């Protein structure tokens, strides 16, 4: 079933929606791509990602509190106010990070990056809460703009990666390093990887993140208050009729505006028909379909936001730093590309979404096999090993992002409450995936890292 979703949108509103969506995760994504520089200058070293993971999970108190608040105040919407607060907090934390990220202090007898971790908590609070605030806010707009939002969310990972690539993050050269053996008191030599200095400092990178947060806030203000953008808000208007075609899909009659019925917005195109895959018996998605799509949303986000990022270095570094950085960059490119695909070739069939998710899941199994085999996974000595792991990451993010966007577009037709649940399950899946992998990687230490030049 194909839904034509680009027939009745305004390009400027699409661009503003993309800029708004970019603010969802750009701060945390920015810190992650700077890791090779941060770990080289901060006392935690490569243990820093473990602390960052814990901080992000603690920040989930934000979406939990917001969901509880919504349950206690049914029928009321606070998205606009909350988004403004989030933009202010995120912008302030980003600019402070630019100047104080290297500040450390002694905690329990050990030196720690307290400034970075505290400011990262506030950024995580903003980004985690965006899952349950930004999506319901998009209920204000026609469903066609939901994909634009997800394109922006994809750019929140892509842009920092491209800037970090220009910065020269992660470039390593192998050097013969001398050290004194404490047992024999003799000088010994070993080949070690040394990270090259970046083309511009970390301070400038975080100022870029600050500028992106400000851009997100300006785009949000324009979407709310510009008359040109307000014409794309859904309107209360006359009801429209439903017909059932031979495929069992509900067809909404054309040449009517978006209308609001029982607090749930329904899409109507001015010049074309909009076909929505729904139950013949009613306008709403069935409970079974609702639960099914929520499970898929939770699983795909557990993979893309929790499990795979935790094992990416284990799966890729045995094939070289170039394979690792290509996998990171191209998978970030695959995210917005999948959103563009969903924009022009939308899929609203539960079977097709399930097959797409299955392809991504099976490819993820291959990546996990490589990670478990680190530092000597299969094909490690073959020229095909590096390209295959890069292709695997691209396929995973392409298919799973496509599935997520398709489901979110369906939920947009179900109304604000459905989008709130979609955001909540998104964050829950991400949190569970990250928490499980934190235990597996750091407590049980089931994976062995392959370091450059070793």
């Amino acid at each position: 079933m194909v839904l034509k979703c680009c027939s009745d949108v305004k390009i400027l509103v699409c661009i503003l929606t993309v800029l708004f969506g970019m603010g969802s995760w750009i701060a945390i994504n920015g810190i992650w791509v700077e890791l090779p520089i941060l770990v080289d200058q901060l006392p935690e070293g490569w243990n820093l990602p473990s602390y960052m993971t814990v901080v992000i999970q603690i920040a989930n108190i934000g979406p939990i509190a917001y969901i509880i608040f919504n349950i206690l105040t049914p029928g009321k919407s606070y998205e606009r106010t909350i988004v403004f607060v989030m933009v202010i907090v995120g912008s302030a934390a980003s600019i402070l990070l630019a100047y104080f990220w290297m500040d450390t202090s002694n905690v329990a007898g050990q030196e720690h990056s307290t400034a970075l971790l505290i400011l990262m908590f506030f950024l995580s609070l903003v980004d985690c809460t965006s899952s349950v605030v930004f999506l319901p806010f998009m209920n204000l707009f026609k469903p066609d703009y939901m994909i634009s939002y997800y394109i922006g969310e994809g750019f929140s990972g892509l842009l920092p990666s491209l800037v970090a690539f220009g910065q020269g993050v992660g470039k390593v050269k192998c050097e013969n390093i001398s050290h004194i053996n404490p047992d024999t008191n003799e000088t010994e030599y070993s080949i070690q990887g040394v990270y090259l200095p970046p083309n511009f400092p970390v301070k400038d990178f975080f100022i870029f993140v600050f500028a992106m947060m400000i851009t997100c806030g300006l785009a949000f203000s324009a979407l709310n208050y510009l008359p040109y953008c307000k014409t794309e808000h859904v309107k209360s208007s006359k009801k429209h009729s439903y017909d059932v075609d031979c495929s069992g899909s509900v067809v909404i009659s054309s040449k009517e505006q978006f209308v609001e019925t029982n607090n749930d917005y329904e899409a109507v195109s001015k010049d074309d028909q909009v076909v929505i895959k729904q139950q013949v018996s009613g306008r709403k998605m069935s409970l079974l379909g609702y639960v099914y799509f929520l499970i898929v949303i939770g699983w795909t986000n557990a993979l893309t936001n929790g499990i795979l990022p935790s094992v990416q270095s284990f799966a890729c570094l045995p094939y070289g730093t170039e394979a690792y950085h290509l996998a990171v960059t191209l998978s970030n490119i695959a995210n917005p590309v999948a959103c563009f695909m969903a924009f022009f070739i939308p899929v609203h069939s539960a079977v097709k979404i399930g097959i797409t998710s299955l392809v991504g899941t099976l490819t993820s199994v291959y990546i996990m096999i490589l990670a478990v085999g680190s530092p000597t996974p299969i094909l490690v000595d073959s020229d095909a090993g590096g390209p295959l792991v890069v292709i695997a990451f691209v396929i995973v993010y392409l298919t799973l992002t496509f599935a997520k966007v398709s489901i979110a577009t369906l939920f947009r037709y179900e109304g604000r409450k459905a989008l709130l649940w979609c955001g909540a399950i998104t964050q829950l899946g991400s949190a569970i995936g990250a928490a499980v992998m934190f235990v597996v990687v750091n407590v049980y230490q089931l994976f062995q890292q392959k370091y450059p030049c070793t």
Side-chain angles (χ1 to χ4, degrees), residues 228-289:
Y228 179 84
C229 298
K230 291 174 73 173
T231 60
E232 297 302 280
H233 292 189
V234 286
K235 309 286 185 182
S236 293
S237 181
K238 58 182 178 180
K239 293 183 179 180
H240 49 277
S241 59
Y242 288 78
D243 296 312
V244 179
D245 67 6
C246 59
S247 66
S249 299
V250 177
V251 181
I252 304 178
S253 60
S254 63
K255 296 184 180 179
E256 294 181 9
Q257 298 294 327
F258 284 66
V259 300
E260 182 182 2
T261 306
N262 297 327
N263 294 323
D264 290 315
Y265 297 112
E266 299 163 349
V268 184
S269 173
K270 291 180 180 178
D271 304 312
D272 219 340
Q273 286 190 335
V274 180
V275 182
I276 310 173
K277 187 71 178 177
Q278 289 181 325
Q279 297 296 313
V280 176
S281 58
R283 302 179 184 180
K284 303 290 288 182
M285 187 185 296
S286 68
L287 178 61
L288 181 61

Side-chain angles (χ1 to χ4, degrees), residues 65-86:
Y66 183 76
I67 292 171
I68 294 174
F69 185 69
N70 267 267
I71 294 174
L72 296 177
T73 57
K76 295 184 179 181
S77 174
Y78 301 94
E79 279 89 19
R80 298 188 190 189
T81 302
I82 298 297
V83 171
F84 276 122
V85 173
M86 290 167 61

Side-chain angles (χ1 to χ4, degrees), residues 1-2 9 27 35 76 102 142-144 157 159 163 181 187 198 205 261 292 295 303 305 310 330 351 386 396 438:
M1 184 59 58
V2 176
V9 297
L35 266 181
K76 295 184 179 181
M102 286 193 68
K142 301 174 183 178
D144 298 341
L159 275 188
V163 174
N181 188 324
T187 301
F205 182 87
T261 306
Y292 166 74
I295 291 173
L303 282 174
N305 299 338
S310 301
L330 293 182
V351 174
V396 167
F438 177 82

Side-chain angles (χ1 to χ4, degrees), residues 100-393:
F100 300 105
W101 69 273
M102 286 193 68
D103 286 10
T104 62
S105 59
N106 192 287
V107 178
Q110 290 186 330
E111 202 71 15
H112 286 287
S113 311
T114 47
L116 175 73
L117 295 174
I118 290 172
L119 291 172
M120 186 178 176
F121 168 77
F122 287 102
L123 290 174
S124 301
L125 196 65
V126 170
D127 289 1
C128 291
T129 309
S130 72
S131 296
V132 294
V133 177
F134 283 21
L135 277 176
F137 167 75
M138 290 305 300
N139 192 60
L140 182 66
F141 290 87
K142 301 174 183 178
D144 298 341
Y145 292 103
M146 180 61 69
I147 295 176
S148 298
Y149 167 79
Y150 269 98
I151 291 173
E153 190 173 275
F155 279 142
S156 73
L158 174 60
L159 275 188
S161 296
L162 294 178
V163 174
F165 181 78
Q167 188 184 15
V169 169
K171 289 186 177 181
V172 179
K173 71 174 180 178
C174 299
E175 291 186 354
N176 196 4
I177 306 296
S178 63
H179 62 277
I180 303 298
N181 188 324
D183 297 327
T184 62
N185 202 29
E186 294 180 354
T187 301
E188 297 181 351
Y189 296 89
S190 61
I191 302 297
Q192 297 181 14
V194 177
Y195 285 99
L196 300 177
N199 297 326
F200 54 86
V202 174
K203 173 185 174 182
D204 293 353
F205 182 87
F206 285 132
I207 289 177
F208 158 76
V209 174
F210 165 73
M212 290 298 98
M213 289 301 302
I214 294 295
T215 301
C216 169
L218 293 175
F220 175 72
S221 300
L223 291 171
N224 267 293
Y225 301 116
L226 275 185
Y228 179 84
C229 298
K230 291 174 73 173
T231 60
E232 297 302 280
H233 292 189
V234 286
K235 309 286 185 182
S236 293
S237 181
K238 58 182 178 180
K239 293 183 179 180
H240 49 277
S241 59
Y242 288 78
D243 296 312
V244 179
D245 67 6
C246 59
S247 66
S249 299
V250 177
V251 181
I252 304 178
S253 60
S254 63
K255 296 184 180 179
E256 294 181 9
Q257 298 294 327
F258 284 66
V259 300
E260 182 182 2
T261 306
N262 297 327
N263 294 323
D264 290 315
Y265 297 112
E266 299 163 349
V268 184
S269 173
K270 291 180 180 178
D271 304 312
D272 219 340
Q273 286 190 335
V274 180
V275 182
I276 310 173
K277 187 71 178 177
Q278 289 181 325
Q279 297 296 313
V280 176
S281 58
R283 302 179 184 180
K284 303 290 288 182
M285 187 185 296
S286 68
L287 178 61
L288 181 61
Y290 202 91
V291 173
Y292 166 74
F293 284 129
L294 285 178
I295 291 173
V296 175
I297 279 285
W299 172 245
T300 54
N301 280 282
L303 282 174
T304 57
N305 299 338
I307 297 174
L308 294 180
S310 301
V311 301
Q312 192 164 33
S313 62
F314 298 104
C316 296
L317 281 178
Y319 302 99
T321 55
E322 184 178 355
Y324 173 75
H325 291 293
L326 275 176
V328 172
T329 303
L330 293 182
S331 60
N332 281 328
I333 293 175
N335 194 310
V337 167
C339 297
F340 276 111
M341 290 172 58
F343 191 90
F344 293 104
I345 318 172
V347 173
H348 289 163
S349 163
V351 174
K352 292 179 181 178
I353 291 174
I355 292 173
T356 304
S357 303
L358 181 60
V359 170
T361 300
L362 292 177
T363 310
S364 301
V365 171
Y366 172 72
I367 292 173
M368 290 298 296
I369 292 173
L370 297 182
V372 170
S374 178
T376 56
I378 57 175
L379 300 177
V380 69
D381 296 321
S382 169
D383 292 337
L388 281 177
V389 71
V390 173
I391 292 171
F393 270 97

